[in-house]
Amino acid sequence: MAQQSTPYHVAIIGGGPGGSTTGALIKKYRPDLRVLIVERETFPRDHIGESHLPPISAVLDEMGCWDKVEAAGFPIKVGGTYRWGRTPELWHFEFLPLSDFKDEPRPGKYQGFRQQTAFQVDRSIYDSILLDHAAELGCEVRQGTAVAEVLRDGDRVEGLRLASGEVVTARWYVDGSGNAAILRKAMGVPTDVPTKLKCIAIWDYWENAEWAVHIGVGGTRIQVMSLGYGWLWFIPIGPTRTSLGLVCPADHYKAIGKSPEALYLEAVAADERIAALVANGTRRGHVETTNDWSFLSERTTGANWFLVGETAGFADPILSAGMTLTQTGARELAFTLIELLTNPGSDEPWLKRNYDTTQRARIRQHIRFADYWYAANGQFTDLQAHCREIAREAGLDLDPQKAWAWLAQGGFANDNVGQAGIGGCGLAAVKAVGEFLEGEATPWQVSGHNTFHLRLEGAARDSLPRYEAGRVYPVESLVRDGHRLPLTGFFALWVDLLGLHPRLEDLLPALLRILQAEHPPEHQRRALGDALGALEVLISEGWVEATLDPSRPRLEVGAPKDSQVMHWDQAPRG
């Protein structure tokens, strides 16, 4: 008879960032709960997905392991350098104006400008830090332990049979096993591929390659270089180690008939910028490949289980969004599980429905944004038919105004309740990306108007979750025509202000007074951009009607080039 262990409160399959973040945050806020993490491999082990976005830094700080990650000496990611769009010129995207980046010694603290930056991490080190941290907080971690079978009764998990024969039982189960999708597959959850992008990734690691740019102490950018048939990533992940990979459509790979290594080396040599960076470097010599096309699970919850991270869905790596989706989702899952396990009055259907809706909406919006990136890339000379097919299947007209309307349908209020954006970037930066991709300004609906009237008629009352300090709090929201208006953050600010000041000459001073009172001087410019992004969403979703009185001044908003968030590379290419 198989040995059966004492029941756990939560059993997590997979010790990667999804599983370790979920477990660590449960134990931080409720150390009395018994949490098991089983990981089939023994860390350290290499893994792609090394480029972070700023929202992860806040999660690391809340977990209590920011200092450990910072002490590892990973490069500070301040943004990216791209050859992508209508012209072959390089352009830069930065999370903050470089004038705000302080040349401070490391290790640094999670404060000031570091709250707006991210990391480029060596996953063999990073994942070990996170899993060890979860163990230090009290999670029972078993490495080298495979799940042989998921025992189930309908949609309920009854236990996990390990390779040793032991049966593990818990009140709640989490699948954080990534592509293996052990629990998702066992429960028969279908997946959808809502995109024409079906790519493969081929990569290797290099020692002693040059960094493309040094920004202060340890700061740099990811390099994303478009080829005619795909693109290269170049990510320094340590002082001497670099991840370098090729992404191309699976159909192209099959048609060209070359080995992964031959195609990879040809691509690296063909790009002058990347070839120069690795000229004096040494390649590990072990090329790896994976299918990385996007997908979305039909659901992320069940009777007593959840999916987290790439088990739930995957968006093309062009946006560097994978780890952000995983760790922000894991945080929300941890708080959801705490509520389910410790709050007798918790509304289980509401908690599960909102977790599922939020995760799936985020993944879908990132997939949609990636489709937009590919379809708008005029550098894909060998893939024009492929890009046209992406646009046609998506109903995406690359006229800037129509393209933006299509993209906005994905919902820019899904990433962070109360703010407008995607992947930690405000709407102004997202619109600036559109301008660089298309060569034309992406229009702002707030521009050219000076009167703004609330239009809340016919909306139903509902609530959305706010995840804070280990708890899940309901936030009042309005629902109409498939759109949700959370009455919190900048959205609530506009509802309050527009109820008093519909005219621009009264509205703008009132807004600036509030931002000056609530934000330190160094954050006020960003806060203003975030506020205007929220107003843009309210207009595009029909919550606000914008009109013009020709006799009065009008509001004019454009892409934030002057803020140095995005700019062209004025240096020679190569």
Side-chain angles (χ1 to χ4, degrees):
M1 179 178 294
Q3 176 187 357
Q4 185 160 323
S5 63
T6 302
Y8 295 87
H9 290 100
V10 181
I12 301 171
I13 307 172
S20 58
T21 300
T22 303
L25 286 169
I26 291 173
K27 292 297 288 186
K28 172 183 176 175
Y29 290 109
R30 288 305 300 256
D32 55 310
L33 297 178
R34 298 192 67 223
V35 179
L36 171 69
I37 303 175
V38 291
E39 166 57 50
R40 68 180 179 181
E41 298 187 50
T42 300
F43 287 9
R45 52 92 176 97
D46 281 324
H47 202 289
I48 54 171
E50 300 108 337
S51 187
H52 284 190
L53 296 175
I56 295 180
S57 296
V59 177
L60 295 175
D61 182 60
E62 185 171 14
M63 289 170 64
C65 65
W66 160 274
D67 289 342
K68 297 176 182 178
V69 174
E70 169 67 7
F74 300 127
I76 302 170
K77 180 181 176 182
V78 299
T81 296
Y82 299 87
R83 182 184 301 122
W84 198 282
R86 299 295 181 185
T87 78
E89 301 302 318
L90 300 180
W91 54 274
H92 306 308
F93 174 90
E94 276 127 18
F95 300 134
L96 75 169
L98 289 187
S99 59
D100 292 349
F101 188 95
K102 309 302 181 186
D103 197 11
E104 298 177 350
R106 298 184 68 188
K109 295 295 183 182
Y110 182 69
Q111 59 189 22
F113 75 96
R114 292 301 301 277
Q115 294 176 322
Q116 300 179 56
T117 62
F119 290 106
Q120 297 177 174
V121 301
D122 186 330
R123 289 285 299 275
S124 67
I125 300 171
Y126 179 77
D127 290 11
S128 293
I129 292 172
L130 266 59
L131 190 56
D132 289 346
H133 184 71
E136 290 174 17
L137 289 175
C139 292
E140 181 181 333
V141 174
R142 303 191 199 178
Q143 298 189 47
T145 302
V147 174
E149 181 183 6
V150 176
L151 307 177
R152 57 175 293 193
D153 181 7
D155 196 45
R156 176 170 291 276
V157 177
E158 296 294 329
L160 305 176
R161 190 185 307 278
L162 308 182
S164 64
E166 177 187 357
V167 174
V168 171
T169 60
R171 289 176 60 183
W172 291 94
Y173 299 84
V174 174
D175 188 354
S177 60
N179 288 334
I182 293 169
L183 192 151
R184 189 195 78 210
K185 292 177 179 177
M187 303 308 289
V189 178
T191 60
D192 181 31
V193 182
T195 176
K196 300 297 289 187
L197 288 174
K198 293 188 176 181
C199 298
I200 66 165
I202 308 169
W203 73 95
D204 203 349
Y205 295 94
W206 295 70
E207 289 291 334
N208 299 315
E210 298 292 331
W211 288 17
V213 61
H214 289 263
I215 301 169
V217 177
T220 191
R221 302 187 194 96
I222 182 177
Q223 305 290 303
V224 174
M225 299 291 112
S226 177
L227 304 170
Y229 56 89
W231 58 276
L232 291 166
W233 79 67
F234 181 93
I235 312 174
I237 56 177
T240 63
R241 197 174 196 222
T242 297
S243 172
L244 175 52
L246 167 68
V247 176
C248 71
D251 288 345
H252 174 84
Y253 166 69
K254 293 174 184 176
I256 204 166
K258 296 181 179 179
S259 70
E261 184 168 26
L263 182 59
Y264 173 81
L265 294 175
E266 180 182 277
V268 172
D271 188 277
E272 292 183 7
R273 183 178 179 85
I274 300 301
L277 294 175
V278 301
N280 296 319
T282 303
R283 185 166 67 93
R284 180 187 61 172
H286 174 51
V287 166
E288 299 181 67
T289 65
T290 185
N291 295 333
D292 69 358
W293 50 71
S294 304
F295 76 93
L296 181 61
S297 294
E298 186 177 274
R299 59 191 175 113
T300 62
T301 68
N304 64 338
W305 55 266
F306 291 88
L307 310 180
V308 70
E310 291 182 8
T311 305
F314 179 80
D316 189 273
I318 184 61
L319 302 177
S320 299
M323 288 286 285
T324 301
L325 291 168
T326 292
Q327 290 196 254
T328 55
R331 174 182 180 269
E332 292 163 358
L333 176 55
F335 293 7
T336 298
L337 287 166
I338 290 171
E339 290 288 345
L340 291 169
L341 287 163
T342 64
N343 183 0
S346 64
D347 185 341
E348 179 176 326
W350 180 83
L351 288 164
K352 292 164 74 171
R353 181 178 69 251
N354 278 286
Y355 174 81
D356 179 71
T357 299
T358 300
Q359 307 315 313
R360 286 168 37 80
R362 281 189 187 139
I363 297 167
R364 187 183 297 107
Q365 175 68 346
H366 279 78
I367 291 173
R368 183 174 286 239
F369 201 17
D371 280 357
Y372 175 68
W373 274 70
Y374 277 81
N377 187 8
Q379 298 303 302
F380 281 162
T381 54
D382 294 348
L383 297 178
Q384 292 305 311
H386 175 73
C387 291
R388 284 194 297 270
E389 182 69 6
I390 291 173
R392 186 180 66 81
E393 289 292 320
L396 172 59
D397 187 324
L398 288 179
D399 167 83
Q401 188 162 357
K402 292 180 180 178
W404 181 258
W406 173 84
L407 185 60
Q409 290 170 12
F412 283 113
N414 293 322
D415 257 19
N416 189 0
V417 174
Q419 295 183 337
I422 184 170
C425 297
L427 207 63
V430 177
K431 280 184 174 286
V433 168
E435 180 170 344
F436 277 83
L437 291 180
E438 298 175 29
E440 298 180 54
T442 306
W444 283 77
Q445 296 187 64
V446 298
S447 286
H449 300 102
N450 52 28
T451 306
F452 304 90
H453 291 286
L454 285 173
R455 291 289 182 258
L456 308 182
E457 302 84 1
R461 296 278 174 175
D462 198 358
S463 60
L464 289 171
R466 175 168 59 88
Y467 302 91
E468 183 177 343
R471 297 296 309 275
V472 184
Y473 300 97
V475 172
E476 186 178 8
S477 68
L478 301 176
V479 181
R480 186 181 64 200
D481 300 330
H483 298 299
R484 286 181 175 269
L485 170 55
L487 298 178
T488 188
F490 287 110
F491 296 114
L493 174 61
W494 283 117
V495 170
D496 291 341
L497 281 176
L498 293 176
L500 299 171
H501 309 293
R503 300 199 311 178
L504 179 64
E505 57 261 42
D506 301 318
L507 179 63
L508 191 56
L511 172 66
L512 294 176
R513 284 195 298 271
I514 291 173
L515 297 182
Q516 290 166 3
E518 295 184 355
H519 300 273
E522 64 270 22
H523 294 162
Q524 287 172 14
R525 177 174 54 184
R526 178 168 181 168
L528 177 59
D530 290 342
L532 291 173
L535 179 58
E536 180 79 355
V537 169
L538 292 176
I539 295 171
S540 66
E541 295 188 353
W543 301 107
V544 171
E545 180 184 17
T547 59
L548 172 66
D549 180 346
S551 66
R552 303 202 319 271
R554 66 190 69 184
L555 182 63
E556 297 294 344
V557 180
K561 291 180 184 177
D562 58 340
S563 70
Q564 300 181 16
V565 174
M566 303 191 67
H567 57 90
W568 294 107
D569 188 357
Q570 301 301 320
R573 288 189 294 122

